[in-house]
């Protein structure tokens, strides 16, 4: 059963706080131990985290890689180098990887599909670290907050409450920034703020609406008209946008002023991803302006479930509408099996659907 997680970050957030809170919610310790024992060993990582062969689901791997990429880019920018040239110190690397992988595995084990984080509370002043005296929020946290439109609230507290790993986790997993008007609490988990010795991260599981009715959330639509950009560049821009977390990307043929043939680029994204999406559009197309529209939408309750079939593991999207259930085998799972087996996409899809129904 898919679940919604609300992270209450009134005492900041860090990797270890998130780990403690998710374990307190009931994430399986044995599943986590298997994943951590399968991690590769090494003293440095440059630009990439290799999880091939690790005992984790594909969904957990995707989450871990996304968090680590955000963290690496923010730290590299703070140090004035590119992400592919930035190297973690051995101790920092091990701690970061352990926290990132643990959070990803726990979220997957708890079947968290939506995460609500309205605001991050941070302290003020300065802190002493290996790089010297740094202002609070530290540069890496500021980089993440700016790139992913995280809401910040500075409190009358001396010292840092948000770590770069904590900020990267929020940037990667947050899907909403507002609580629903009505909800039921299923379970509460706490993660202590050991560095500051006060406060905790409260993680709350919101019970799934069993009515099956459509629920409301807010998204953003970005659009721009482009008449002087090659098809190759537009295709690559779409790849970058989808890889960065866009909900949908499409082009529509249009005629602009002076009857110029052109394309209108439309991007659907989360509110928190607006700045990141606009940056990708400006960097990879020739547009000089982007229209932005925030809008409400109604969506059916859905969950992602990975099941074993005769062809291997397949991920399904399961949507509920009252008593009716719609099941869709996910494209990436079907395409991967089709490539490996030589069986056509249509055949693999039908087999996956039949075995789920059975």
């Amino acid at each position: 059963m898919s679940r919604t997680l609300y992270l209450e970050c009134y005492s900041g957030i860090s990797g270890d706080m998130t780990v403690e809170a998710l374990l307190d919610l009931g994430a399986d310790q044995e599943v986590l131990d298997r994943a951590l024992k399968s991690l590769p060993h090494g003293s440095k990582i440059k630009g990439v985290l290799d999880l091939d062969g690790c005992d984790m689901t594909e969904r957990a791997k995707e989450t871990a890689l996304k968090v680590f990429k955000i963290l690496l880019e923010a730290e590299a920018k703070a140090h004035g180098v590119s992400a592919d040239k930035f190297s973690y110190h051995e101790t920092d690397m091990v701690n970061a990887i352990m926290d990132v992988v643990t959070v990803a595995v726990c979220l997957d084990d708890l079947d968290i599909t939506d995460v609500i984080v309205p605001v991050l509370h941070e302290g003020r002043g300065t802190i002493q670290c290996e790089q010297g005296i740094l202002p609070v929020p530290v540069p890496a946290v500021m980089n993440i907050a700016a790139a992913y439109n995280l809401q910040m609230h500075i409190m009358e507290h001396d010292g840092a409450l948000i770590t770069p790993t904590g900020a990267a986790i929020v940037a990667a997993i947050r899907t909403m920034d507002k609580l629903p008007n009505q909800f039921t609490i299923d379970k509460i988990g706490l993660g202590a703020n050991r560095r500051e010795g006060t406060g905790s991260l409260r993680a709350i599981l919101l019970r799934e609406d069993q009515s099956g009715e459509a629920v409301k959330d807010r998204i953003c639509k970005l659009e721009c008209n482009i008449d002087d950009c090659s098809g190759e560049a537009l295709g690559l821009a779409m790849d970058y946008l989808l890889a960065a977390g866009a909900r949908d990307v499409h082009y529509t043929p249009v005629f602009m002023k002076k009857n110029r043939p052109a394309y209108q680029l439309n991007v659907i994204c989360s509110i928190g991803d607006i700045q990141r999406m606009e940056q990708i559009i400006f960097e990879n197309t020739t547009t000089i302006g982007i229209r932005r529209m925030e809008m409400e939408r109604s969506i059916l309750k859905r969950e992602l479930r990975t099941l074993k079939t005769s062809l291997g593991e397949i991920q399904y999207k399961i949507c509920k509408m009252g008593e009716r259930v719609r099941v869709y085998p996910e494209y990436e799972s079907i395409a991967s099996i089709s490539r490996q087996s030589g069986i056509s996409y249509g055949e693999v899809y039908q087999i996956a659907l039949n075995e789920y129904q059975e």
Side-chain angles (χ1 to χ4, degrees), residues 50-213:
D50 183 12
L51 295 178
D52 288 343
C54 293
D55 191 358
M56 304 164 59
T57 67
E58 289 303 315
R59 181 169 67 168
K61 288 180 183 178
E62 289 175 6
T63 301
L65 292 172
K66 184 176 182 182
V67 175
F68 195 80
K69 181 176 182 291
I70 293 171
L71 177 60
L72 194 70
E73 289 177 347
E75 290 282 13
K77 185 175 182 180
H79 286 77
V81 298
S82 61
D84 60 337
K85 292 184 174 161
F86 177 73
S87 296
Y88 265 114
H89 181 273
E90 181 176 358
T91 303
D92 293 337
M93 180 209 68
V94 172
N95 291 338
I97 291 176
M98 293 288 282
D99 285 344
V100 168
V101 170
T102 299
V103 168
V105 171
C106 289
L107 287 170
D108 179 69
D109 183 65
L110 292 168
D111 201 11
I112 304 296
T113 55
D114 285 297
V115 179
I116 304 170
V117 186
V119 63
L120 301 178
H121 284 64
E122 175 63 298
R124 63 180 185 179
T126 60
I127 60 169
Q128 178 72 47
C129 61
E130 290 183 1
Q131 291 78 37
I133 298 176
L134 295 180
V136 176
V138 298
V141 169
M142 291 289 279
N143 292 338
I144 295 170
Y148 294 90
N149 201 29
L150 303 184
Q151 297 295 317
M152 305 274 290
H153 174 72
I154 304 300
M155 302 193 302
E156 298 292 323
H157 172 88
D158 291 328
L161 298 175
I162 305 172
T163 67
T165 302
I169 289 169
V170 172
I173 68 175
R174 184 184 65 159
T175 59
M176 293 178 278
D177 59 4
K178 290 183 180 179
L179 279 165
N181 292 330
Q182 295 181 344
F183 58 88
T184 303
I185 295 174
D186 187 33
K187 196 170 183 181
I188 299 172
L190 297 175
N193 189 335
R194 300 187 185 281
R195 294 169 300 102
E196 293 296 321
T198 180
S200 61
L201 171 68
R202 189 158 65 170
I204 304 173
L205 283 179
L206 308 185
R207 189 172 303 162
E208 183 180 6
D209 180 8
Q210 298 298 321
S211 67
E213 296 179 356

Side-chain angles (χ1 to χ4, degrees), residues 66 113-117 147-150 170-178 217-222 241-242 244-249 267-278 292-295 297 299:
K66 184 176 182 182
T113 55
D114 285 297
V115 179
I116 304 170
V117 186
Y148 294 90
N149 201 29
L150 303 184
V170 172
I173 68 175
R174 184 184 65 159
T175 59
M176 293 178 278
D177 59 4
K178 290 183 180 179
D217 76 345
R218 292 188 64 80
I219 56 171
C220 182
K221 178 183 178 183
L222 306 175
L241 289 163
L242 291 171
R247 303 290 184 90
D248 192 19
V249 182
V267 179
I268 305 298
C269 67
S270 301
I271 302 298
D273 290 336
I274 292 174
Q275 186 169 347
R276 177 67 171 169
M277 296 298 153
E278 290 185 343
R292 179 192 302 179
M293 291 155 282
E294 292 188 18
M295 54 186 70
R297 65 171 182 168
I299 56 174

Side-chain angles (χ1 to χ4, degrees), residues 249-316:
V249 182
H250 67 271
Y251 293 101
T252 304
V254 296
F255 283 93
M256 295 174 59
K257 57 187 177 183
K258 300 181 181 179
N259 290 322
R260 294 174 183 167
Y263 290 97
Q264 183 179 97
L265 167 62
N266 291 272
V267 179
I268 305 298
C269 67
S270 301
I271 302 298
D273 290 336
I274 292 174
Q275 186 169 347
R276 177 67 171 169
M277 296 298 153
E278 290 185 343
Q279 180 181 354
I280 293 173
I281 294 171
F282 281 130
E283 289 179 350
N284 294 278
T285 74
T286 55
T287 190
I288 58 174
I290 301 170
R291 298 180 291 276
R292 179 192 302 179
M293 291 155 282
E294 292 188 18
M295 54 186 70
E296 290 188 352
R297 65 171 182 168
S298 299
I299 56 174
L300 293 178
K301 281 287 186 179
R302 79 281 305 270
E303 62 177 299
L304 292 175
R305 187 182 300 170
T306 301
L307 301 175
K308 291 183 179 179
T309 72
S310 61
L311 298 175
E313 286 194 347
I314 292 179
Q315 190 176 69
Y316 295 84

